[in-house]
């Protein structure tokens, strides 16, 4: 495994191939001075950078500088968390999670003519959006957005896309809270439909339960397709695993398959999976360079390998 940006603290990566280059869009950690807590207030990030490279193993990483800052977002409150980028018809769309002025997480969109930005934000968040960690996936001409995260990500505050008066966690024997997925509108700026739950099943076909903490979803949705299969991968949060499930379409349901990455140094674990020049790569982060400080994370990459049956080989997070 290799650190990509040793001179700064970057985390929560998404990576895509645009114009034959690999572009990486991470969140940007900083020493905020806020005490660490379960709501994630210490993750008080304020901007995004874009990075690009031509060769994962040997190439130099180019920092294209700040591509979006909270001070330029009209509806911004605080905490510019995870993001993703998609391209359609020569335009680039940056999807981001940010608390509004009422301290409620929403999803926003910013647009650019170039993959390296800068990106110009829309005046308002996506209508009906909530929670964190957007991931955009293109399939057969359609674009789907996956999102959601519990605890500080506020997903437990919603049921059937409506806010609850009092957010509640299900009992251990009840179905786990699911990530959400929705098709995007033709202009890439809104949901084209009501978000749907991304259901993860066990091998017997039963939905995972809230008490199944080593397999159930917590945050960090990622979708990729390989060999005709749809791979939905995610973080289990408080058990610190990156797991994956497979399905036959972008909506699922998805059947749990196993662990991709064991726990890293640092509380959070967050990833993306991207193919570049004939190889698959896992991008993620840990807190080794900062001495284990959870809120100061560094970006890493390693090659991801499949078995002959399409399962993914497990990797050790401390390597």
């Amino acid at each position: 495994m290799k650190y990509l940006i040793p001179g700064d603290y970057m985390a929560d990566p998404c990576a895509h191939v645009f114009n034959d280059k690999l572009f990486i869009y991470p969140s940007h950690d900083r020493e905020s001075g806020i005490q660490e807590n379960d709501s994630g207030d210490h993750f008080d990030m304020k901007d995004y950078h874009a990075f690009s490279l031509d060769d994962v193993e040997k190439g130099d990483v180019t920092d294209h500088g700040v591509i979006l800052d909270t001070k330029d977002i009209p509806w911004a409150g605080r905490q510019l968390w995870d993001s993703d980028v998609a391209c359609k018809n020569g335009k680039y769309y940056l999807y981001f999670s940010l608390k509004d002025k009422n301290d409620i997480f929403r999803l926003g969109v910013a647009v650019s003519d170039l993959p390296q930005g800068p990106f110009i934000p829309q005046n308002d968040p996506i209508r009906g959006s909530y929670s964190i960690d957007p991931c955009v996936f293109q399939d057969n001409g359609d674009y789907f957005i996956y999102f959601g995260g519990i605890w500080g990500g506020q997903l437990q505050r919603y049921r059937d896309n409506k806010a609850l008066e009092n957010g509640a966690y299900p009992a251990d024997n009840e179905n786990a809270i699911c990530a959400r997925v929705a098709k995007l509108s033709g202009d890439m700026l809104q949901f084209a439909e009501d978000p749907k739950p991304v259901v993860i099943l066990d091998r017997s076909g039963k939905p995972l339960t809230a008490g199944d903490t080593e397999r159930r979803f917590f945050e960090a949705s990622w979708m990729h397709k390989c060999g005709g299969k749809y791979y939905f991968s995610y973080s289990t949060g408080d058990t610190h695993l990156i797991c994956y499930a497979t399905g036959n379409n972008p909506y699922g349901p998805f059947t749990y398959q196993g662990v991709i990455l064991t726990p890293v140094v640092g509380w959070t674990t967050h990833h993306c999976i991207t193919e570049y020049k004939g190889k698959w790569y896992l991008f993620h982060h840990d807190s080794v360079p900062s001495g284990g400080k959870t809120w100061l994370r560094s970006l890493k990459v390693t090659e991801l390998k499949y078995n002959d049956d399409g399962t993914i080989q497990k990797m050790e997070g401390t390597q």
Side-chain angles (χ1 to χ4, degrees):
M1 296 189 183
K2 167 185 173 182
Y3 288 104
L4 284 171
I5 308 161
D8 205 345
Y9 295 114
M10 301 286 169
D12 307 328
C14 70
H16 296 281
V17 180
F18 298 133
N19 303 329
D20 298 321
K21 285 182 178 288
L22 186 66
F23 282 84
I24 308 166
Y25 305 90
S27 58
H28 189 186
D29 283 352
R30 67 188 186 92
E31 183 69 83
S32 64
I34 299 171
Q35 186 174 357
E36 185 173 355
N37 58 62
D38 285 346
S39 294
D41 293 313
H42 47 292
F43 293 114
D44 192 23
M45 297 92 93
K46 291 186 173 183
D47 62 33
Y48 297 126
H49 286 232
F51 300 87
S52 66
L53 65 164
D54 296 307
D55 188 297
V56 175
E57 278 86 14
K58 302 176 183 177
D60 293 331
V61 177
T62 299
D63 182 354
H64 297 280
V66 174
I67 60 171
L68 183 66
D69 192 296
T70 51
K71 63 181 174 58
D72 300 320
I73 302 170
W75 56 273
R78 63 189 181 109
Q79 292 176 291
L80 195 60
W81 284 14
D82 177 54
S83 68
D84 197 10
V85 174
C87 178
K88 182 178 180 180
N89 297 332
K91 293 280 188 181
Y92 297 86
Y93 299 86
L94 170 64
Y95 299 86
F96 57 91
S97 42
L98 173 68
K99 282 182 176 176
D100 64 16
K101 298 180 189 301
N102 295 314
D103 232 26
I104 296 172
F105 269 116
R106 308 289 186 192
L107 303 181
V109 191
V111 186
S112 177
D113 292 324
L114 299 170
Q116 64 267 32
F119 287 81
I120 307 302
Q122 299 294 294
N123 288 330
D124 299 291
I126 295 173
R127 290 189 297 273
S129 66
Y130 52 93
S131 199
I132 61 170
D133 290 1
C135 164
V136 178
F137 172 70
Q138 180 184 3
D139 189 53
N140 297 322
D142 291 320
Y143 290 78
F144 300 85
I145 186 167
Y146 300 79
F147 64 94
I150 61 176
W151 289 16
Q154 303 181 347
L155 186 57
Q156 71 278 1
R157 300 184 184 182
Y158 297 84
R159 294 290 186 277
D160 300 321
N161 302 315
K162 295 180 174 60
L164 302 174
E165 186 171 346
N166 295 297
Y169 300 100
D172 284 355
N173 62 347
E174 295 179 331
N175 289 350
I177 295 173
C178 297
R180 304 290 192 267
V181 58
K183 189 181 293 186
L184 285 168
S185 58
D187 63 6
M188 301 289 282
L189 302 178
Q190 301 292 339
F191 296 151
E193 60 188 1
D194 292 337
K196 300 172 173 59
V198 181
V199 177
I200 303 173
L201 308 173
D202 63 20
R203 295 295 177 88
S204 68
K206 295 180 180 179
L208 298 185
T209 61
D212 191 352
T213 58
E214 293 197 348
R215 297 194 298 176
R216 61 91 176 94
F217 170 83
F218 186 99
E219 63 185 1
S221 299
W222 188 259
M223 175 62 69
H224 76 281
K225 190 176 181 181
C226 180
K229 291 182 181 180
Y230 295 82
Y231 290 76
F232 177 71
S233 50
Y234 56 95
S235 169
T236 61
D238 54 339
T239 53
H240 316 293
L241 301 169
I242 297 294
C243 296
Y244 75 106
T246 57
N248 298 317
N249 65 79
Y251 292 107
F254 298 92
T255 301
Y256 178 86
Q257 298 295 333
V259 172
I260 298 174
L261 187 70
T262 62
V264 300
V265 173
W267 199 94
T268 70
T269 187
H270 195 122
H271 73 298
C272 72
I273 296 170
T274 305
E275 185 180 20
Y276 186 54
K277 295 186 176 179
K279 292 184 177 181
W280 287 92
Y281 293 97
L282 175 77
F283 296 82
H284 65 102
H285 64 238
D286 69 22
S287 299
V288 171
S290 68
K293 288 186 177 181
T294 297
W295 63 95
L296 293 174
R297 301 162 295 177
S298 295
L299 189 62
K300 299 180 78 172
V301 65
T302 188
E303 186 177 352
L304 180 139
K305 296 182 179 180
Y306 298 87
N307 298 310
D308 291 341
D309 61 359
T311 56
I312 295 173
Q313 295 180 15
K314 184 169 71 173
M315 289 173 277
E316 297 298 321
T318 55
Q319 289 184 349

